Amino acid sequence: MKEFIEKAKHIVIFTHMAPDGDAMGSSLALYHYVMDRFAKRSSLSDNKTAIAAGPQAEPAERTVHVIVPNAFAAFFNWMPGSAQILIYEKEPQRCNGLIAEADLIICTDFNDPKRIGPMGEKMLANPCTKILIDHHIMDERVRGLVDDGLWSEIHSHPEASSSCEIMYGLLTAESCQPTTISQEIATCIYTGLMTDTGNFSYNSTRAELYDIIAALLRAGVKKDEIYNAVFNQYSTDRVRLTGYALYRKMRIYPEYHLALITLSADELERYHYQIGDTEGLVNMPLQIADVFYSVYMREERPKPGTPKSRIRISFRSQGDRPVNIWASEIFHGGGHMNASGGELFGTLEQAVALFEKSFKNYLKI
Ligand code: 5GP
Ligand code: MN
């Protein structure tokens, strides 16, 4: 990977739609690493070209950009480098240009080009070198893309807590010491470890994870500040919306150990919904004894020119109770065993009807 980065002139880093802490952290950690290397390499080649071509010689213009399909939550605004992230939905033309001229594309925290929306097509249209860094299980279609040679290099580790954990391994592989880890990189990596494990409450039983955390602390990570920046900066509306959802909108199916929360576009607007405001809501019903499955449905108004609302669906479970097959077979999605997502175009009522019709086939009672 180092060689690919050394050779590249125009690097683009992609991460998935509605980026979470792991998507943000893994892409930004890599961004900082590449920026640091580019700076180092430019000063070296400056000297060489200066000798060969005289003092006026310009170092070649090298670029690195992180591009995400749509906006990220405001509670990631503090992350180092987040202000440099390009949002495809806001600047499609500029992003298309960057994607077309890239000679190296690195994808983090997803393995399916569909998870980056229209950017996926643009990526496939550019035959340049592509690297995958991810911890999701590959479904059959995604395996097909691997077999077709989409990726020049793959770092796919479903056993890892997060893409940030894999990224840490890659960025330190050279020296086997955390010497290449700046405080900025460490901060990005820690954010992903923390958010993808629910602050180290699941997917976090491997001892290696805590070796990494110890190294990140030595690199200057302010762990409690990161926790506060992500989890204690909510708006009043957000906290009230959570209260409303749990008090008025949570249905329990006790015999199935299942909870369902639905929020319509009207309800979300009443609480001035912002991206990220219901992040984590789906986990809350799991706090109830004997609730092992939780589903949350959120209605998004139809996009201009399209007739149907999009119902975005989140699935969570505890223990040996997979939800990803349900998400993929019924709701066009997928994900991890205990955390998956999907969608449906139609009404909330239709989504709930499909949910109630299908869950008996997928739940372990
Ligand atoms: P969330 O409920 O937080 O949006 O998503 C939970 C997890 O499910 C994500 O980390 C991701 O791995 C997976 N996921 C969400 N939506 C999709 C989807 O549409 N397709 C696939 N394959 N995975 C998804
Ligand atoms: Mn992740």
Side-chain angles (χ1 to χ4, degrees), residues 20 22 109 135-136 163 196:
D20 55 15
D22 191 33
D109 203 36
H135 71 133
H136 295 87
S163 298
D196 254 29

Side-chain angles (χ1 to χ4, degrees), residues 115 136 312 314 316 333-336 339-342:
R115 291 273 286 146
H136 295 87
R312 170 67 219 169
S314 287
R316 296 292 185 276
H336 310 275
S340 302

Side-chain angles (χ1 to χ4, degrees), residues 190 193-202 204 210 223 227 231:
Y190 184 83
L193 300 184
M194 180 188 80
T195 55
D196 254 29
T197 59
N199 202 31
F200 311 105
S201 60
Y202 47 81
S204 51
Y210 300 89
K223 131 182 202 304
Y227 182 92
F231 294 119

